[in-house]
Amino acid sequence: MLGYIQKTDNTYFLLATLRLVLDAVEAALGLVFSADILELLWEGASMENLGKPVILLLSSSFLLSAASSFLKNEFVEPKQSLIWLTYDSDFSAKFQQMDYSLIESPYVKKLTDRIWKDNNWGAGIGSAFWNLEFVVSGICRLLCSVVVAIPILKIIVTHGNPWMYLGLVVLLVALWLLAGARTKAGAVYQEQLLKEPEELYPEELYRKYYSFCGHWTRRCLSGDYHFIKDIHLYDGYNLMEHYTVGNMREGEKVIPWTSVMGKLSGRLGFLQGAAYSLATLAGYLISAAYALLGAFPVGSVIKFAGSITNILNTIQCMGYWLSELSLTARRVASTLEMLNVSDEMYKGKLPVEKRLDNQYEIEFRHVSFRYPGSERYALEDFSLKLRIGERMAIVGMNGSGKTTMIKLLCRLYDPQEGEILLNGVDIRKFRQDEYVRLFSVVFQDFKLLSMPLGENVAASVEVDGGKAEEVLRQAGLGERLEELPEGLGTYLYQDITDGGIEISGGEAQKIAIARALYKDAPFVLLDEPTASLDPLSEYEIYSGFDTMVGDKTAIYISHRLSSCRFCDDIAVFHEGRLVQRGSHEQLLSDEKGKYYELWQAQAQYYQ
Ligand code: ADP
């Protein structure tokens, strides 16, 4: 964590520590000068003699606190904000840039769960700043107090009175007891806090709670609240409450976590309070006894008592701050682990040949693939060649492996067996960024952003306006575009500005299709972005798209056979395998084939 902060801004620690040193010196000088003033008053000194320490007290206090405020306002806090922003944006960038296969991996899923829980406990890197500040300022104050107390300790040690030695020993023992009690309290408390909720509650109870409360709240907070409709309409709250609050009450009965913590802090609090009172009492009694014995003057009593109180207070708080700091370190560890997750896919270096004639050929050769953590093959011994400039339709039931094939083709995953070749070369050997430029894909779960329409289509802040308008017209959004007051500059949705427009599901699909056309890649893949449309509309979009893509290679995916009838080359998927391939008429003529079976099952809806 320290390394991360230092790497992000290498002057932060220096300036933050300097500021805390100034604060501690100010407090120590305040004590020293106040004691001197009191001693002069005690001795009945004249106003002139009093002037010097008063001026020193006021000027040192003014100068040091002004310097500290200047450092804090001009450097420390602005730097903290910037480091915080960098931390957040690094985290977000990590998700957007890491291998997609990793995001879906059980390891990263577990890690994100952990981060969510950890972040619920504290303010992430913010807690790190605050706790570090407390600890460093505690160390500075401790050092300053010791420096103030040393000359007086010297007097005690050289005085030679055995009672004074005894007093000193009592004081040291009380300090030691206090520090010990505080450290123990911190350790025990932390041990409880660091326990996984699963350890505190029976796992099943916790999972139910977490699934409904944690995940659902997270979705609502990120604006994905549409599922709440179902909760309203089916009076789902009562059911939810049973699993969340009711469930936790059940948990309390099984393991009364809160009362464990309550008793613990009660007992430790008592111990600490007793040690603290004892030490304070010892400090004051001893100081007074020294003064009465005439070992040192009244000013030194103030200095000694003041420094002892400061030392006590700091030790008292230090144990707490240290345990909070170590807790924070443990809580940010998951985020830092995520930032350090390294990509595992092999990244080739071969440049992708740029061909104006778009003469690219793709071949799947005996490809088998299982999703991470899954036992079943999503694709098994799958072989297929894509003919350049032609269209291919992939049909098959849900779960037959159609989307998986597209994900492998775009290198979101690598197959465990077999290889995928581009013009005869294994696609793993190509530079990833160049390779993905070959594909325009519209996935079923495509995502548009709350940004201007033009930027959505161009997927860039630099928009070729003429081209964007043309593809939007091709995708069937010409009329809608005319109506928009700000044209391509119109924001989608209202997250960023109230002037943003809400778009229907059909319009969103058309914008996603326009984005694919704008990219102008040699391969165009439509993976059922129209699944929520009725079969006729889907057919219209698919066959219309066919003319839009011109001489590019296009793959259309659908579980509706009617949508892909126009295609001469239809591949039929079943249980992760390619089972048939041919034109609609050829496939339908085989009455024992999967295509015939599917067609018969669906035909009743379309004929
Ligand atoms: P289709 O596109 O034909 O509907 P998919 O390619 O999406 O089918 O899925 C093929 C198989 O892989 C299905 O059994 C599905 O449950 C499984 N699958 C899909 N995505 C994942 C994933 N991220 N993790 C584990 N299994 C998955």
Side-chain angles (χ1 to χ4, degrees):
M1 185 174 60
L2 295 180
Y4 180 86
I5 296 175
Q6 177 69 10
K7 195 180 73 195
T8 313
D9 185 331
N10 59 10
T11 54
Y12 171 75
F13 282 125
L14 189 73
L15 294 168
T17 310
L18 182 62
R19 187 198 137 219
L20 300 173
V21 169
L22 293 181
D23 284 349
V25 171
E26 186 203 338
L29 287 182
L31 179 66
V32 170
F33 293 136
S34 311
D36 288 350
I37 294 168
L38 202 75
E39 197 165 318
L40 287 170
L41 283 172
W42 184 266
E43 290 165 359
S46 65
M47 286 306 276
E48 283 123 67
N49 288 347
L50 272 173
K52 195 175 147 203
V54 169
I55 288 170
L56 277 175
L57 175 68
L58 294 178
S59 55
S60 68
S61 164
F62 172 73
L63 287 176
L64 289 170
S65 66
S68 161
S69 296
F70 176 74
L71 280 177
K72 180 175 168 223
N73 297 330
E74 293 297 316
F75 297 105
V76 178
E77 287 191 345
K79 277 173 186 288
Q80 279 182 355
S81 304
L82 267 178
I83 297 170
W84 202 326
L85 275 177
T86 313
Y87 182 74
D88 281 349
S89 68
D90 277 359
F91 188 65
S92 150
K94 185 72 194 179
F95 264 109
Q96 290 168 52
Q97 290 170 351
M98 73 163 84
D99 283 350
Y100 182 77
S101 54
L102 269 174
I103 293 191
E104 285 200 340
S105 70
Y107 165 64
V108 169
K109 278 189 182 153
K110 225 171 159 186
L111 193 55
T112 46
D113 271 357
R114 152 116 291 115
I115 292 171
W116 166 252
K117 287 179 210 161
D118 283 344
N119 285 351
N120 267 352
W121 283 90
I125 202 159
S127 308
F129 287 132
W130 302 320
N131 288 316
L132 262 176
E133 215 162 84
F134 287 140
V135 169
V136 175
S137 95
I139 294 173
C140 294
R141 263 187 283 154
L142 209 57
L143 287 176
C144 285
S145 302
V146 170
V147 168
V148 174
I150 278 178
I152 305 157
L153 279 172
K154 234 182 185 169
I155 302 177
I156 298 172
V157 174
T158 48
H159 196 261
N161 184 326
W163 291 105
M164 287 210 174
Y165 292 132
L166 184 65
L168 201 57
V169 170
V170 171
L171 186 62
L172 289 177
V173 169
L175 280 178
W176 177 75
L177 268 180
L178 179 69
R182 191 47 252 186
T183 315
K184 175 80 184 149
V188 178
Y189 195 66
Q190 201 185 112
E191 193 190 326
Q192 286 296 318
L193 277 184
L194 278 175
K195 273 193 182 157
E196 292 308 321
E198 293 89 336
E199 281 178 61
L200 296 163
Y201 294 102
E203 177 152 3
E204 197 198 321
L205 281 182
Y206 177 72
R207 274 179 178 268
K208 282 179 188 162
Y209 173 80
Y210 183 62
S211 165
F212 289 107
C213 245
H215 282 304
W216 289 41
T217 312
R218 186 161 28 160
R219 281 178 65 181
C220 287
L221 285 176
S222 60
D224 176 15
Y225 45 77
H226 304 287
F227 67 97
I228 298 289
K229 292 197 289 287
D230 289 347
I231 301 283
H232 277 289
L233 287 168
Y234 290 95
D235 195 16
Y237 181 70
N238 287 335
L239 184 62
M240 294 267 294
E241 206 204 12
H242 168 76
Y243 279 105
T244 52
V245 182
N247 209 29
M248 261 352 204
R249 278 197 206 111
E250 190 70 14
E252 294 289 325
K253 273 187 243 150
V254 185
I255 298 179
W257 187 66
T258 41
S259 76
V260 167
M261 291 299 271
K263 271 185 210 150
L264 183 79
S265 36
R267 253 181 264 145
L268 290 170
F270 177 76
L271 239 174
Q272 243 168 263
Y276 184 78
S277 306
L278 186 73
T280 317
L281 187 70
Y284 275 101
L285 281 180
I286 293 164
S287 306
Y290 289 154
L292 286 176
L293 282 171
F296 42 70
V298 68
S300 299
V301 177
I302 301 282
K303 282 184 214 165
F304 192 58
S307 356
I308 295 297
T309 316
N310 278 345
I311 292 172
L312 284 177
N313 272 331
T314 315
I315 289 181
Q316 162 96 330
C317 299
M318 199 67 150
Y320 175 72
W321 294 328
L322 278 173
S323 62
E324 282 291 301
L325 181 63
S326 113
L327 200 62
T328 302
R330 295 282 293 267
R331 297 271 173 227
V332 295
S334 49
T335 302
L336 293 174
E337 184 177 338
M338 179 67 109
L339 289 178
N340 287 324
V341 166
S342 29
D343 284 349
E344 49 191 27
M345 271 180 142
Y346 175 75
K347 304 273 175 4
K349 295 200 173 61
L350 211 62
V352 174
E353 192 187 359
K354 290 192 181 60
R355 300 188 64 121
L356 290 176
D357 59 1
N358 276 346
Q359 287 296 302
Y360 294 105
E361 187 190 57
I362 288 277
E363 182 182 357
F364 281 70
R365 209 180 266 172
H366 301 294
V367 166
S368 293
F369 173 75
R370 265 195 307 235
Y371 282 96
S374 172
E375 296 281 305
R376 265 190 53 211
Y377 278 106
L379 274 187
E380 197 168 1
D381 195 18
F382 175 83
S383 295
L384 177 130
K385 244 186 192 177
L386 285 182
R387 295 172 219 148
I388 300 138
E390 291 191 356
R391 319 280 187 251
M392 188 174 84
I394 301 179
V395 299
M397 285 156 62
N398 283 333
S400 56
K402 305 183 295 294
T403 300
T404 305
M405 181 225 150
I406 299 294
K407 286 184 184 166
L408 290 174
L409 180 58
C410 303
R411 261 209 98 192
L412 293 177
Y413 292 93
D414 278 337
Q416 283 95 10
E417 289 159 43
E419 51 186 1
I420 305 168
L421 309 163
L422 170 71
N423 290 352
V425 179
D426 191 324
I427 60 172
R428 283 174 277 217
K429 295 191 177 146
F430 292 112
R431 285 187 49 166
Q432 181 110 342
D433 53 341
E434 291 192 8
Y435 179 73
V436 294
R437 269 185 225 137
L438 296 177
F439 301 95
S440 283
V441 195
V442 191
F443 282 111
Q444 189 169 353
D445 49 359
F446 63 85
K447 178 85 186 145
L448 299 177
L449 306 169
S450 315
M451 291 170 186
L453 173 63
E455 291 180 14
N456 264 287
V457 172
S460 160
V461 278
E462 276 152 37
V463 183
D464 176 342
K467 188 174 162 190
E469 284 179 10
E470 192 192 324
V471 290
L472 281 166
R473 255 181 240 115
Q474 281 179 6
L477 271 173
E479 277 179 31
R480 183 79 163 106
L481 187 62
E482 304 287 310
E483 290 166 11
L484 296 178
E486 313 234 0
L488 293 174
T490 311
Y491 273 84
L492 299 189
Y493 314 115
Q494 291 176 340
D495 300 331
I496 311 285
T497 151
D498 291 344
I501 51 163
E502 287 300 331
I503 46 172
S504 70
E507 286 169 338
Q509 277 154 352
K510 288 175 183 163
I511 297 172
I513 287 174
R515 178 169 66 185
L517 290 172
Y518 187 99
K519 191 175 174 187
D520 205 15
F523 288 91
V524 184
L525 320 171
L526 286 195
D527 181 8
E528 299 201 80
T530 46
S532 54
L533 295 184
D534 59 87
L536 195 63
S537 312
E538 181 178 279
Y539 178 77
E540 276 169 12
I541 288 189
Y542 271 40
S543 49
F545 196 79
D546 201 54
T547 42
M548 287 178 224
V549 294
D551 60 353
K552 298 185 168 68
T553 309
I555 301 180
Y556 306 108
I557 292 186
S558 184
H559 65 279
R560 289 182 186 135
L561 274 54
S562 59
S563 304
C564 299
R565 222 173 23 183
F566 65 88
C567 231
D568 291 337
D569 183 13
I570 302 174
V572 186
F573 279 38
H574 185 58
E575 293 180 348
R577 288 172 184 272
L578 174 63
V579 290
Q580 276 180 296
R581 193 170 174 180
S583 69
H584 173 69
E585 284 70 27
Q586 286 165 346
L587 293 170
L588 209 54
S589 64
D590 178 2
E591 293 190 6
K592 289 201 176 69
K594 191 74 196 166
Y595 189 85
Y596 182 84
E597 182 194 325
L598 291 171
W599 182 261
Q600 288 304 322
Q602 295 182 1
Q604 49 174 315
Y605 301 116
Y606 310 141
Q607 278 169 356

